[in-house]
Every structure is written in structure tokens, then in C-alpha cells.
Amino acid sequence: FGVRLEDLPARRPGEADLIEAEDDAAAPPWVLASLCAAIDARGAKLEMFRTPPSAQGVERVVAALLSGGDALEDVRVPTLDVVAALKEFLRRLPETLIPSRCSEALLAFARDLDARPQHQHPKAVQAFVSTLPPRHAASLLRLTSTLGRVRPSSRRPSAQGATDQLALALA
């Protein structure tokens, strides 16, 4: 936590050889991938992203990550703590997933998206993501894949409403 994406290994320490594979630079860091995989496996509700993180819960998840193996698969590690750890990991990044140097590309993407027919949106997203540094792009895609599976709040059943609330919760 608190380390640049480019400086984090793509594989869990001990799993990687001393020399990383070339494609590791374009993979999300293992910490992010592990947290997302744990959330995917357990399922998460939108309310979990709106709940303030517990320092003890985050510490438990970090300890589970550092212990190696499949520690996050332990059902005694609550999903809420895994979600809190993901949020804390993202908050502590020295540089956001969409770096400030890519803000012009993000603004151009947002303007262009409204002008395009909906069937062209995937190509526009792909074009924008290609402007990001490889580790950032892979991390953003992994995170959005997980967030797309978050179940909406029972108070707000529409998928768009859930997406809007989730964006606010992570902001």
C-alpha cells in the first residue's frame, strides 16, 4: 500500500522468478488482482463501498495478503474488510489509476463519447485506455470488471443508479 503501480509486482512474491516476464508490466499488481478476485468470489453489495473502512479490518486483510497462499479465501476474513482494503489501497496510491498527465485524454474521451453512437462506445473506451500507462490500464480494467459485478443497493435497484452511487463512493 502506498507504492506506485509500476513498482508493484504483477505476481505474488515467491511466485515470480527473479526476472519478471515481459507481460508482467501490462498486468495489474498482484495486490489489486487478489483483492478484486476475493470480492468477485464473495460478491459485494454497493452498501459495502459506502461504509467507512475499519483500520483493524484493513490490517487483517493486509496480514492475510502478506501471509501468502490463499489467505483471502478464508471465510473468517469478512467481505466488508476486503472492500475496505481495496478502497484503502486505491487511496494510498501515490498516483491515481488515471494519472493527471492523462486528464486531457480523459476529457476528450468524455466529450467524444456523447457524440458517438452507442455501438461505438467500446472502441472509444479502448482508445482511451490505450493512452494510459500499461500498468494503469490493466489495473483500471481489472477494477472496473470487479465493480461491474457489484450488486446494487436494495434501496436503488437500477444498474445505472448503482454505477452512479459507486462512482461517488469511490471518489
Side-chain angles (χ1 to χ4, degrees):
F1 286 50
V3 177
R4 292 175 354 117
L5 288 174
E6 292 83 2
D7 297 334
L8 291 167
R11 301 182 216 180
R12 182 185 310 273
E15 289 180 358
D17 296 327
L18 293 178
I19 300 172
E20 288 191 10
E22 287 182 29
D23 62 342
D24 282 356
W30 73 270
V31 172
L32 179 64
S34 296
L35 291 169
C36 287
I39 292 169
D40 289 347
R42 297 158 183 242
K45 288 189 174 184
L46 183 62
E47 294 90 5
M48 292 178 174
F49 286 88
R50 302 181 90 199
T51 304
S54 145
Q56 297 88 353
V58 172
E59 287 174 18
R60 277 194 301 268
V61 173
V62 171
L65 282 168
L66 295 177
S67 70
D70 298 322
L72 282 182
E73 292 179 14
D74 186 343
V75 292
R76 292 173 292 178
V77 179
T79 304
L80 186 59
D81 291 346
V82 178
V83 168
L86 174 64
K87 289 170 54 177
E88 191 63 24
F89 172 78
L90 294 170
R91 283 188 186 115
R92 289 189 194 176
L93 286 173
E95 184 174 52
T96 59
L97 285 181
I98 300 175
S100 58
R101 65 185 178 274
C102 298
S103 60
E104 285 185 34
L106 176 61
L107 293 174
F109 162 71
R111 281 190 305 268
D112 186 45
L113 196 60
D114 286 337
R116 289 178 180 251
Q118 192 166 6
H119 72 276
Q120 291 181 355
H121 288 187
K123 285 186 180 183
V125 170
Q126 188 176 32
F128 167 68
V129 170
S130 72
T131 68
L132 299 174
R135 181 60 62 87
H136 289 254
S139 297
L140 184 63
L141 291 173
R142 181 62 181 100
L143 178 63
T144 56
S145 172
T146 292
L147 296 180
R149 294 184 189 99
V150 172
R151 291 172 287 170
S153 163
S154 56
R155 295 183 308 262
R156 196 154 179 178
S158 84
Q160 183 59 47
T163 304
D164 293 346
Q165 282 194 4
L166 191 55
L168 290 173
L170 289 173

